[in-house]
Amino acid sequence: MPSRSQSASPTPSDISGAVAEDLALYREKFRLRLPESLDDLHGPTQGVVELPLHMAWSGMTSYDMSKPRQRMGLYRTVLHEGLRDDLPRYLNQDLLLQLWPVLRTLVGRTVRAVWEDAFPKLASRTRAAA
């Protein structure tokens, strides 16, 4: 009777290596989108902002900047879904710095780490607010 080939089960070290590689790729995806400087962020601070579908694919596309929850939702969406050219167009440096102590708790750990590593000013805002 011919022997049946069995596929080897991945070992825990194989799995942890794959997970680490996936996390590194995920982190790099966000790092490559970052602006050169926070000074590049000149997005709107008032009015109604309409996001394109490539960012607002799963929900609201229109955000009223006078409403704190909508403003926070806009920033969260842009940080997660925005491409490199979107960030300067939709984010404003002063508003990002103002919102960051709360916003950082609403974005994923990877997004938070990438932004705070690249822009220590954000991390210092968090410590100052505490």
Side-chain angles (χ1 to χ4, degrees), residues 3-117:
S3 115
R4 202 167 79 191
S5 74
Q6 295 180 2
S7 58
S9 297
T11 65
S13 63
D14 292 338
I15 293 171
S16 64
V19 168
E21 185 177 333
D22 286 349
L23 287 173
L25 288 171
Y26 188 61
R27 183 179 174 89
E28 186 67 5
K29 174 182 97 165
F30 289 108
R31 194 191 66 72
L32 290 173
R33 296 177 182 182
L34 292 173
E36 293 294 321
S37 165
L38 291 178
D39 293 333
D40 296 341
L41 305 178
H42 297 288
T45 59
Q46 55 189 348
V48 175
V49 177
E50 299 286 336
L51 290 181
L53 288 177
H54 73 270
M55 278 192 285
W57 53 268
S58 68
M60 289 177 55
T61 58
S62 181
Y63 296 84
D64 184 340
M65 297 297 282
S66 69
K67 296 182 177 178
R69 288 182 72 147
Q70 287 189 28
R71 189 172 52 232
M72 194 71 73
L74 170 81
Y75 272 62
R76 181 174 184 250
T77 299
V78 173
L79 288 171
H80 277 276
E81 305 297 336
L83 302 175
R84 187 176 182 93
D85 291 341
D86 295 321
L87 301 177
R89 183 178 303 134
Y90 293 102
L91 300 178
N92 177 279
Q93 174 182 246
D94 294 335
L95 194 49
L96 179 64
L97 289 169
Q98 175 189 339
L99 297 176
W100 191 254
V102 173
L103 183 60
R104 72 182 303 276
T105 67
L106 302 175
V107 298
R109 181 180 309 163
T110 301
V111 171
R112 178 176 55 244
V114 165
W115 278 81
E116 288 183 350
D117 288 350

Side-chain angles (χ1 to χ4, degrees), residues 118-130:
F119 306 112
K121 192 174 187 179
L122 290 173
S124 68
R125 292 277 305 160
T126 302
R127 287 189 294 275

